[in-house]
Amino acid sequence: MDRGQIEGWLERYGRAWERCDPEAAAALFDEAAEYYETPFDSPFRGRDEIQRYWRDATNSQRDVSFSHEVLSVTADTGVARWGAGFTRIPTGQRVGLDGVFVLTFNEAGLCLVLREWWHSDPAADS
């Protein structure tokens, strides 16, 4: 992977989130991918689980924005800082997120492992 490929992957990830499109998000991952939403929980395994996770997560979000900055790239891994903002549909509350991804890719450019760390500010917009 190079910086441009990681940038492209993150742009597609961001578009999928902004459109609340779990199918587009899941298509970014290898069939055997592992998605760690937090460092302490078991990962979502495989494209189907990742798609279900995304569907559940985005069902209550609207007006999503996403930004990213690639921090590091090696042969198969990228590290990026990301920010997101969205409105919770049930409450109308705006939430801001600030996070870091460590992403490992296969030779086809699909994500094999996503690890994320994030914090939320329910009163902010990123």
Side-chain angles (χ1 to χ4, degrees), residues 43-121:
F44 299 100
R45 295 183 191 277
R47 220 179 252 163
D48 291 341
E49 277 191 29
I50 292 168
Q51 185 171 333
R52 276 192 298 278
Y53 160 72
W54 264 71
R55 181 170 286 113
D56 291 346
T58 60
N59 270 341
S60 64
Q61 300 173 356
R62 66 176 166 81
D63 305 321
V64 177
S65 62
F66 179 83
S67 62
H68 68 275
E69 174 188 7
V70 175
L71 302 175
S72 176
V73 178
T74 66
D76 66 351
T77 302
V79 178
R81 181 174 179 205
W82 60 271
F86 57 85
T87 302
R88 292 193 188 281
I89 292 172
T91 64
Q93 181 182 31
R94 192 76 184 158
V95 176
L97 303 175
D98 186 8
V100 173
F101 286 144
V102 175
L103 307 160
T104 304
F105 295 91
N106 66 16
E107 293 171 358
L110 296 174
C111 189
L112 285 170
V113 180
L114 179 147
R115 294 180 185 277
E116 66 181 322
W117 295 263
W118 54 271
H119 290 280
S120 65
D121 181 355

